[in-house]
Amino acid sequence: MGFAPQLVDINGDGLKDIISGSYCGDAPQPEGHTGHIVPVKDENGKPVSEIFAYYRQIDGTYADRVHVAISHIHSACSPVDWDGDGDFDLITAARIVLDKSSGLGLINLMENIGSRTEPRFARPMNLLEGLEIKTAITSAEAFDWDGDGLLDLLAGTEWGDILWFRNEGTAEACRFAEPTVLKEGSKSSKAEKPWGNRLAIFVTDWDGDGVYDIITGDARTEDITEKFLKEEDRPEYEQLKAKVDEYSSKVSALYEGKNYRRMNAKERAELTKAAQKIREEYRPYTTPYYRKFYKTRSHGYVWIFRGIRE
């Protein structure tokens, strides 16, 4: 699946191309192209995410998928002329950074070390060095949000927050502050709020009033089990669901207050073993519940958060 695809003239030929990040381990081909899903792996054979492009042709069609760069897990990208040299660089965002020793962060810069017409991107550089980000970043865009002439970072998150990282450095040496929450989401995928999770963001003056707005795309999963439940199955369903809810509460309590990413190998193993013990205890209830009753519908909406002139 493509993450936050954008239309932009990547190769400077006057035609708007498509550029996108991707899910870990695969990249999609558009209809009519060879191979629907293309596996993506690094030099060690491990699944990774890819930044890819489809260059638009003069006749309006798109050429086959072009590899742009290898990125980190579950990546999204946003083109921007970061260094003011006239070509597009890339801001990339990741929900997960598994290998801390890689030096990569949740928001990274890939500088174009090629040219405007023949882009070639350097290895990602962590833009949030020194900041401890406690939420998963799902998209990011470089934009001068406060009008001080420096590019800041805006980000969408897993649970629907919109964050602003103010650039407190200089044009030559950026330094980003702790994030300011522009719009608060939730701490859980089950929380009640109008918009969903896993936000992809785009900054623009949507209504032409001179104040910048933020457009977001979300993802949501709705539980539609009740719509398909037969009355004769309700007693069994309610019995199983009570056990499933009990199971979820125990697992949540187990992970409450623990930072899995900061644990050592022994601590992770012990936590995983404890969680597995709970899973095995409740498997006689969870397995028939999810196989027989549980049904969901996944979809998303596009939202606009209008800026207010102060």
Side-chain angles (χ1 to χ4, degrees):
M1 75 194 313
F3 277 27
Q6 297 193 30
L7 286 169
V8 64
D9 181 9
I10 292 295
N11 58 353
D13 63 358
L15 301 173
K16 288 192 174 182
D17 314 301
I18 298 174
I19 187 166
S20 178
S22 64
Y23 194 78
C24 178
D26 60 55
Q29 291 277 47
E31 186 177 352
H33 290 244
T34 304
H36 178 57
I37 297 295
V38 181
V40 182
K41 298 181 180 180
D42 65 10
E43 63 274 11
N44 299 316
K46 295 182 178 180
V48 292
S49 294
E50 181 187 39
I51 307 297
F52 57 92
Y54 299 105
Y55 290 124
R56 188 163 189 176
Q57 310 300 294
I58 296 177
D59 63 2
T61 62
Y62 289 91
D64 284 338
R65 177 171 119 328
V66 174
H67 167 86
V68 174
I70 291 294
S71 187
H72 34 339
I73 305 299
H74 302 179
S75 64
C77 75
S78 176
V80 64
D81 186 0
W82 180 262
D83 48 15
D85 62 356
D87 58 32
F88 279 118
D89 309 297
L90 294 178
I91 299 296
T92 64
R95 291 174 58 223
I96 305 171
V97 178
L98 294 178
D99 184 5
K100 296 295 183 180
S101 65
S102 68
L104 299 183
L106 295 176
I107 301 180
N108 300 269
L109 168 68
M110 286 184 175
E111 183 184 354
N112 185 354
I113 55 178
S115 66
R116 179 72 177 93
T117 56
E118 296 183 1
R120 184 166 58 89
F121 297 96
R123 186 179 182 277
M125 178 183 70
N126 183 5
L127 291 176
L128 301 182
E129 187 71 42
L131 298 183
E132 184 178 357
I133 310 302
K134 297 181 180 180
T135 186
I137 302 294
T138 52
S139 66
E141 183 168 343
F143 192 84
D144 183 7
W145 185 250
D146 55 0
D148 64 355
L150 299 175
L151 287 172
D152 308 309
L153 295 172
L154 281 87
T157 69
E158 182 74 9
W159 303 124
D161 291 332
I162 300 176
L163 306 179
W164 168 38
F165 297 88
R166 184 175 185 270
N167 189 348
E168 296 182 335
T170 65
E172 293 74 25
C174 60
R175 179 172 55 85
F176 294 99
E178 295 288 338
T180 297
V181 179
L182 299 180
K183 200 68 179 177
E184 188 174 6
S186 70
K187 302 300 180 186
S188 167
S189 60
K190 297 180 180 179
E192 291 295 329
K193 66 179 187 301
W195 61 96
N197 307 314
R198 202 166 295 178
L199 293 188
I201 68 168
F202 182 73
V203 182
T204 185
D205 183 3
W206 175 259
D207 47 14
D209 64 354
V211 180
Y212 286 105
D213 313 300
I214 299 177
I215 297 176
T216 70
D218 69 8
R220 60 183 65 212
T221 300
E222 292 183 72
D223 184 345
I224 56 174
T225 304
E226 287 279 352
K227 293 182 179 180
F228 294 89
L229 185 63
K230 298 177 181 178
E231 276 306 310
E232 60 266 29
D233 291 332
R234 184 168 291 278
E236 181 187 2
Y237 162 76
E238 291 182 347
Q239 180 184 25
L240 291 175
K241 188 175 187 306
K243 287 293 186 179
V244 169
D245 291 343
E246 187 177 301
Y247 158 75
S248 298
S249 296
K250 285 189 176 182
V251 172
S252 297
L254 179 66
Y255 282 89
E256 182 70 29
K258 297 181 177 65
N259 190 329
Y260 190 81
R261 296 178 184 176
R262 303 188 69 175
M263 290 180 175
N264 58 41
K266 182 180 179 181
E267 291 171 331
R268 289 181 181 179
E270 290 175 350
L271 185 62
T272 300
K273 184 177 180 180
Q276 183 63 33
K277 183 178 180 181
I278 297 173
R279 275 193 287 271
E280 290 301 323
E281 178 185 350
Y282 282 88
R283 195 179 299 278
Y285 310 104
T286 57
T287 298
Y289 173 78
Y290 285 110
R291 286 183 178 177
K292 183 175 181 179
F293 295 113
Y294 187 61
K295 297 182 185 297
T296 62
R297 179 180 63 180
S298 299
H299 63 90
Y301 291 112
V302 175
W303 300 86
I304 178 168
F305 298 92
R306 284 191 168 90
I308 301 174
R309 190 186 302 277
E310 296 182 346

